[in-house]
Amino acid sequence: MNGSRIVRTAGNARMSKMVRAGDLLFLAGQTPSGAAHAHTIEEQATEALARIDALLQQAGSSRQKLLSVTIYLKDMALFDRMNAVWQSWIDPGHLPARCTVQATLGLPELLVEFSATAAV
């Protein structure tokens, strides 16, 4: 990556939405937007994954180019339900490396957060 240009997409005072370094794209953790309708794990996961799609498209990438995804769940009891959403979203021919951990998330209403790295 010597001489590779680093491009940061504005986020907020604490982080960038995305950082591109050469052909690698690093996304900030994606959660549902806080919309009042996203209460269930299915709704929250669907919305967060749609946000990943939008960011990947903005950067000229796609879910088929995902390299690694870390999933943070508020409660591992939600794993199977979240995984059903994931499996309907992800391209089975282009599976990224993945891990899922239980974590305390930034807001009490959040059930899931996805952090992703992709190729561009």
Side-chain angles (χ1 to χ4, degrees):
M1 238 175 51
N2 260 350
S4 291
R5 197 174 92 157
I6 297 174
V7 178
R8 300 172 197 280
T9 302
N12 60 36
R14 296 178 306 280
M15 65 185 163
S16 298
K17 277 186 189 178
M18 299 184 277
V19 176
R20 181 175 176 173
D23 291 335
L24 292 177
L25 181 66
F26 303 88
L27 302 183
Q30 296 301 304
T31 63
S33 65
H37 69 279
H39 295 294
T40 68
I41 186 63
E42 292 85 1
E43 292 166 334
Q44 288 196 16
T46 298
E47 186 176 337
L49 292 170
R51 293 177 75 175
I52 289 174
D53 276 332
L55 289 170
L56 291 170
Q57 182 179 10
Q58 180 183 338
S61 188
S62 69
R63 69 178 82 154
Q64 289 76 22
K65 293 182 179 182
L66 285 169
L67 302 173
S68 179
V69 176
T70 300
I71 303 168
Y72 303 93
L73 277 178
K74 182 175 186 172
D75 184 344
M76 286 305 278
L78 300 170
F79 180 80
D80 290 339
R81 292 170 55 200
M82 177 281 304
N83 220 28
V85 175
W86 169 266
Q87 286 181 236
S88 70
W89 178 80
I90 196 67
D91 181 338
H94 296 89
L95 296 172
R98 189 189 106 166
C99 77
T100 305
V101 297
Q102 183 169 325
T104 301
L105 301 176
L107 298 171
E109 62 272 15
L110 291 178
L111 302 175
V112 66
E113 182 170 349
F114 297 85
S115 179
T117 302
V120 181

